[in-house]
Amino acid sequence: MKKGLLIGLGALVLLIIIFGLMLQGSYNELVRLDQETETRWAQVQNVYQRRADLVPNLVATVKGYAAHEREVLQEVTESRSRVGSVQLSPDMLNNPAAFQRFQEAQGALSTALSRLLLVVERYPELKANQNFLELQSQLEGTENRIAVERKRFNEAAQAYNTRVRQFPTNLIAGFFGFHPRLYFQAAPGTERAPTVDFSS
Amino acid sequence: MRTLVTLILLFTSSVPLAALEVPSLRSRVTDQADLLSPEQEAQLESKLAEFEQQESTQIAVLIIPSLEGEVLEDFSHRAASQWQLGQKGRDNGALLLVALQERRVRIEVGYGLEPKLTDALSRRIIDQEIVPRFQQGNFFEGIDAGITAMMGAVRGTYAPLSTRDKAPQFPSPLIPLFLFLLWSLFWSRRSRRSRSLRRRSGHLHAEDVWMMGGPRYPGSFGGGFRSGGGFSGGGGSFGGGGASGRW
């Protein structure tokens, strides 16, 4: 009789321990994924900043050869300054309006830059300029980095979101206030900025 | 852990998974298009191996017959990341990718090499060293000149690693267990406080780092990736640096 009680008590304690460990595991998993999306987001912002930093130099170089392409140059400069004013901190990653503003501002700069690179085609001297070539390859490299970091952020955010929504983690997530995050959504084929081929 | 995340991604990812498979890494020169003779491969291989001995930088060459519709930069980044070229923490790896049918070539540069092998320099290596030779059909010479230039760009940047290829190991399996117990105790006391703190400051706490194995490469504790052959990546990561070209 007494032995049975002891066994029952032991089993109960064991169950509580197991439950506690499970809870702890889920919680820590959420914290880790949450932290990772923030790290990834910081990387995304880094590479966008890197692109923005290239623009003034690029504009100055192009101006030296194609000063009368005023419209395109102005578009680039304006979208560059707009990008600077639309920053998005990690805690705003679940604010759709802010996220869209961010994406639109960066998208406008992408469009302006690819237009600029198209215009440049008409200026063989500029295309032969070593400084311009360096800037151009840096810009291409940075666009590629943006694609990479966006993809990594999306992967992190999706892993996090899945965890937040899955049963039974969603109960823990709800209790501790973990909310799903937004990620970049692009129609297939538009994830990459359009590339301009200069070789032909 | 990583496999779990990968699995989750597999089933939830809205990004279509790429079709072209990255070949498994067996040697520094992977020629899937039979572009080079075995002697030429061996020659490049030994050159790259010697370079790695000296500089700890891992450079690999991948030649594929076709991209099969995939974007060059996507595939290149995927291959370099999967192979984990470069030493962990130093990220000093680079990949020279040649896609025969599309006549495209790319140099993919690891995070740690970006300051030396810059985008502009990679582009110049492609334009000046590789493309002219490829255009004449001299593929071996082009690749040879390309990796020679890449090595030249890197040389002097990294001292040889004395403890190369040795991932830090716990002396006893009991220690992680002990750490885990300690950490669980620690967690149960601190969890609420540390989370609110972290939210505000954005700083990593000891337990997070422990969980993630370092801020930039979550979950990738090197190792785990040892094919039977003679060469394997050291755990380096890639951020999309480098340049692409066509011939």
Side-chain angles (χ1 to χ4, degrees):
Chain A
M1 187 64 217
K2 213 176 175 186
K3 203 173 157 194
L5 191 72
L6 266 177
I7 289 174
L9 215 68
L12 191 71
V13 169
L14 207 68
L15 265 177
I16 289 173
I17 288 175
I18 289 172
F19 182 73
L21 280 175
M22 270 167 58
L23 187 80
Q24 178 196 336
S26 305
Y27 178 84
N28 285 339
E29 172 80 358
L30 283 172
V31 169
R32 189 183 69 77
L33 293 171
D34 179 50
Q35 189 63 48
E36 182 166 345
T37 41
E38 288 189 12
T39 314
R40 292 286 175 226
W41 182 250
Q43 279 296 104
V44 169
Q45 285 188 307
N46 278 346
V47 287
Y48 273 128
Q49 185 58 46
R50 184 181 177 136
R51 177 171 76 168
D53 291 343
L54 282 174
V55 169
N57 234 333
L58 187 73
V59 168
T61 310
V62 173
K63 250 186 196 155
Y65 290 83
H68 53 274
E69 300 287 352
R70 221 167 283 131
E71 195 190 326
V72 184
L73 286 167
Q74 199 178 345
E75 192 189 331
V76 171
T77 311
E78 276 172 9
S79 51
R80 155 74 173 80
S81 63
R82 219 173 309 128
V83 157
S85 66
V86 184
Q87 296 295 333
L88 198 61
S89 59
D91 47 304
M92 281 163 81
L93 279 177
N94 44 27
N95 179 341
F99 195 77
Q100 184 156 9
R101 266 203 304 281
F102 180 84
Q103 256 190 289
E104 274 169 5
Q106 297 292 355
L109 181 56
S110 302
T111 315
L113 280 172
S114 42
R115 275 191 58 193
L116 179 69
L117 291 182
L118 263 175
V119 162
V120 159
E121 281 294 280
R122 288 184 234 140
Y123 300 86
E125 278 172 49
L126 175 58
K127 275 172 67 190
N129 177 302
Q130 199 55 47
N131 191 26
F132 173 75
L133 284 175
E134 305 246 313
L135 280 168
Q136 191 201 335
S137 47
Q138 280 183 49
L139 187 65
E140 282 171 4
T142 304
E143 294 287 1
N144 192 44
R145 286 186 182 87
I146 290 172
V148 166
E149 297 301 347
R150 275 173 60 135
K151 198 179 103 209
R152 286 196 174 150
F153 168 75
N154 270 5
E155 284 169 2
Q158 282 172 354
Y160 168 80
N161 285 357
T162 311
R163 220 69 186 103
V164 166
R165 292 198 180 108
Q166 256 171 359
F167 183 81
T169 331
N170 60 350
L171 304 177
I172 297 162
F175 186 73
F176 287 105
F178 289 93
H179 301 293
R181 292 214 155 126
L182 297 157
Y183 45 83
F184 292 103
Q185 285 179 331
T190 60
E191 288 196 325
R192 228 160 238 294
T195 45
V196 185
D197 184 8
F198 293 93
S199 57
S200 47
Chain B
M1 188 57 254
R2 199 180 207 191
T3 38
L4 181 67
V5 175
T6 318
L7 271 178
I8 292 172
L9 279 174
L10 263 176
F11 290 112
T12 58
S13 173
S14 66
V15 186
L17 285 165
L20 189 51
E21 207 179 314
V22 177
S24 60
L25 183 62
R26 294 214 153 74
S27 62
R28 291 174 179 82
V29 181
T30 308
D31 180 9
Q32 292 203 306
D34 279 328
L35 189 65
L36 306 174
S37 72
E39 294 77 34
Q40 290 172 331
E41 270 180 47
Q43 198 179 325
L44 295 175
E45 175 84 30
S46 69
K47 199 170 186 172
L48 293 169
E50 190 190 340
F51 180 67
E52 190 190 336
Q53 287 273 310
Q54 290 168 358
E55 306 285 342
S56 90
T57 296
Q58 290 186 326
I59 298 178
V61 178
L62 173 59
I63 304 163
I64 55 170
S66 161
L67 282 165
E68 290 171 24
E70 205 179 335
V71 178
L72 174 76
E73 286 81 5
D74 287 343
F75 178 73
S76 164
H77 180 258
R78 215 150 48 79
S81 303
Q82 193 170 316
W83 285 0
Q84 304 191 345
L85 299 170
Q87 309 300 329
K88 186 169 169 56
R90 294 189 170 204
D91 300 324
N92 50 351
L95 174 74
L96 177 62
L97 172 70
V98 178
L100 217 51
Q101 193 187 312
E102 289 81 6
R103 303 170 78 88
R104 303 286 317 261
V105 55
R106 175 164 177 83
I107 295 176
E108 189 79 32
V109 180
Y111 275 121
L113 288 186
E114 284 180 11
K116 281 287 160 188
L117 194 52
T118 57
D119 297 347
L121 197 54
S122 307
R123 161 96 165 239
R124 238 186 283 170
I125 291 173
I126 289 174
D127 286 352
Q128 294 173 5
E129 305 290 338
I130 301 176
V131 166
R133 289 178 175 88
F134 276 18
Q135 278 170 343
Q136 293 167 358
N138 300 328
F139 290 102
F140 170 71
E141 287 77 7
I143 292 169
D144 190 37
I147 60 171
T148 307
M150 284 162 78
M151 291 192 278
V154 172
R155 219 173 261 286
T157 322
Y158 296 94
L161 267 174
S162 48
T163 54
R164 207 158 40 79
D165 242 8
K166 274 183 193 139
Q169 277 179 344
F170 291 108
S172 151
L174 283 179
I175 288 184
L177 190 72
F178 176 70
L179 278 176
F180 176 73
L181 284 174
L182 242 172
W183 167 76
S184 328
L185 271 173
F186 189 66
W187 174 85
S188 56
R189 293 214 190 122
R190 290 261 321 255
S191 62
R192 278 169 178 260
R193 203 154 54 89
S194 79
R195 202 169 94 76
S196 58
L197 267 177
R198 194 175 29 69
R199 266 287 162 79
R200 237 177 296 140
S201 63
H203 282 140
L204 284 170
H205 284 251
E207 64 265 41
D208 292 323
V209 176
W210 192 85
M211 282 288 292
M212 291 161 60
R216 214 214 250 164
Y217 332 95
S220 68
F221 271 94
F225 184 81
R226 287 281 177 270
S227 57
F231 180 61
S232 61
S237 8
F238 288 76
S244 315
R246 65 179 74 226
W247 73 87

